[in-house]
Amino acid sequence: MRALVTGGAGFLGSHLCEALLNRGDSVVCADDLSTGRLENVAAFQEHPRFTFLRADVSHSLRVRGPVDLVAHLASPASPPDYHRLPLETLAVGSRGTENALELAAEKGARFVLASTSEVYGDPTVHPQAESYWGNVSSIGPRSVYDEAKRFAEAISMAYARSLGVNVGIVRIFNTFGPRMRAEDGRVVSSFIAQALNGDPLTIYGDGQQTRSFCYVDDLVRGIVAMTDSSETGPINLGNPVERTVQELAELVLELTGSGSPIEFHQLPKDDPTRRRPDISLAETLLGWHPQVSTEEGLHHTVEYFRAHRREVSAAARSIAGAQFEGTPSKVAWRDAPAMAKLA
Ligand code: NAD
Ligand code: UDP
């Protein structure tokens, strides 16, 4: 099989490229390196079945020769990244997805869209099943990402219905692992970098909001299962074990043996209160279930960050307040109860 992975030099994309190469596929990785890095694909740059194409897929997307699969992962994904790149995020979710679908239509390829749990917004239904339509602000700061992905789902379904493109949509819940950028501002990479650097761990709000964290190897297995199936979805992919952000901070401190303090910062606007995937569909239709516990995944990720200490030291101090346009109002540990009211 010859696969095109857009966003293939990013965190998830590079693992997907690797998984496809490892099973014998040829891979074309298209990436503009806006939030990805060449280092992520450096290990297979010389691979005879790997091609890197530097391209902004919102602008145009052309690939010579046959393509059997288009896996469309290109998009900023970390909140600080999409706050920094709002127009680019909207463009890649809309025009970028259209270009990727056009290519899939032209080549007769299977098309798999990396959608997101953000389509559920700040959910009023818990856990989130695919039948839930979501609670999303169309004008808030997160809307550039959430609505772009909702549009991406809509246009994918329109191509499936009107042009018969073989579309599959996965809704990915928070995923972490090696090759995340230490400074990308997402909670797992931030907490690990801060812990290893001895800097305070920055909890936003009172830390009682929840997420469910999936290890990258599991997630990529799920994406590959979707590419191999003819399911349209959308299908949730994520680890259903739910934790508070405070529990995650404590776990990272324990796993790293760090003596870093915890600081509470203002909660970003529209930050979802709780999130946990219902993965019944993935279990039934794809035979997929996560196998790596969050603890084990964190252990591998800590090891990766330990091996990239220079990057971690450079990054950690710039992380605090990365979600905010202005300077965050910092609240000390002892003021946690007051912070709960503020949040
Ligand atoms: P990432 O930022 O590491 O990777 C995204 C990649 O897309 C980067 O390499 C970036 O350079 C590339 N890109 C962005 N805009 C582009 C454009 N216009 N043209 C070409 N390349 C472009 O993020 P990630 O965590 O690997 O996320 C990958 C995909 O999975 C995204 O679509 C994201 O929305 C989705 N997703 C990820 C998560 C998660 O927890 N990691 C959760 C939900 C959804
Ligand atoms: N968060 C935090 N401290 C950080 C980064 C994030 O407390 O340094 C919180 C954030 O407010 C959210 C959760 O952790 O409630 C997950 O954030 P992330 O950016 O990783 O992903 P999201 O699920 O919000 O897209």
Side-chain angles (χ1 to χ4, degrees), residues 302-319:
V302 167
E303 289 308 300
Y304 171 83
F305 277 103
R306 278 195 207 282
H308 293 76
R309 275 313 285 261
R310 203 181 307 160
E311 182 199 334
V312 169
S313 332
R317 283 178 195 282
S318 68
I319 295 168

Side-chain angles (χ1 to χ4, degrees), residues 72 92-102 111 113 148-163 165 167 169:
H72 182 43
V92 76
S94 54
R95 286 197 295 275
T97 304
E98 187 176 3
N99 288 336
L101 282 159
E102 277 294 320
F111 175 87
L113 172 70
K149 288 289 184 180
R150 289 172 71 96
F151 178 87
E153 289 197 5
I155 194 172
S156 299
M157 292 307 297
Y159 268 73
R161 288 191 195 104
S162 34
L163 294 177
V165 175
V167 162
I169 299 173

Side-chain angles (χ1 to χ4, degrees), residues 17-246:
C17 290
E18 190 171 7
L20 294 173
L21 285 172
N22 284 345
R23 70 174 197 175
D25 296 340
S26 297
V27 175
V28 179
C29 160
D31 203 298
D32 69 352
L33 302 178
S34 53
T35 61
R37 309 182 285 194
L38 272 182
E39 300 97 275
N40 286 344
V41 290
F44 26 98
Q45 279 278 45
E46 302 300 320
H47 195 295
R49 282 184 277 105
F50 180 79
T51 311
F52 179 78
L53 184 67
R54 185 158 185 174
D56 175 353
V57 303
S58 305
H59 184 65
S60 70
L61 184 55
R62 294 203 205 299
V63 176
R64 276 198 218 113
V67 175
D68 307 295
L69 165 71
V70 176
H72 182 43
L73 277 71
S75 170
S78 159
D81 282 342
Y82 61 72
H83 291 330
R84 184 171 57 82
L85 300 165
L87 300 180
E88 292 84 348
T89 303
L90 283 160
V92 76
S94 54
R95 286 197 295 275
T97 304
E98 187 176 3
N99 288 336
L101 282 159
E102 277 294 320
L103 189 93
E106 176 199 328
K107 306 281 184 185
R110 167 93 166 142
F111 175 87
V112 171
L113 172 70
S115 185
T116 168
S117 53
E118 283 284 324
V119 301
Y120 301 120
D122 190 2
T124 55
V125 168
H126 195 72
Q128 293 79 55
E130 295 82 349
S131 53
Y132 176 52
W133 288 1
N135 175 36
V136 181
S137 162
S138 59
I139 55 171
R142 296 176 87 98
S143 65
V144 294
Y145 182 66
D146 301 8
E147 296 291 16
K149 288 289 184 180
R150 289 172 71 96
F151 178 87
E153 289 197 5
I155 194 172
S156 299
M157 292 307 297
Y159 268 73
R161 288 191 195 104
S162 34
L163 294 177
V165 175
N166 179 6
V167 162
I169 299 173
V170 287
R171 291 183 177 156
I172 302 170
F173 285 64
N174 297 64
T175 301
F176 68 96
R179 300 191 194 141
M180 293 184 93
R181 280 157 35 234
E183 79 289 2
D184 91 352
R186 285 184 270 199
V187 69
V188 172
S189 45
S190 297
F191 283 178
I192 294 177
Q194 290 162 338
L196 293 181
N197 245 24
D199 290 338
L201 270 60
T202 53
I203 289 184
Y204 299 158
D206 63 3
Q208 296 312 299
Q209 70 272 39
T210 67
R211 293 294 186 273
S212 306
F213 298 101
C214 187
Y215 187 60
V216 62
D217 289 359
D218 278 334
L219 201 281
V220 166
R221 232 179 359 92
I223 298 182
V224 171
M226 187 59 158
T227 66
D228 289 346
S229 83
S230 54
E231 295 296 337
T232 306
I235 297 181
N236 289 339
L237 292 179
N239 190 321
V241 177
E242 185 180 359
R243 286 166 207 275
T244 67
V245 166
Q246 173 138 6

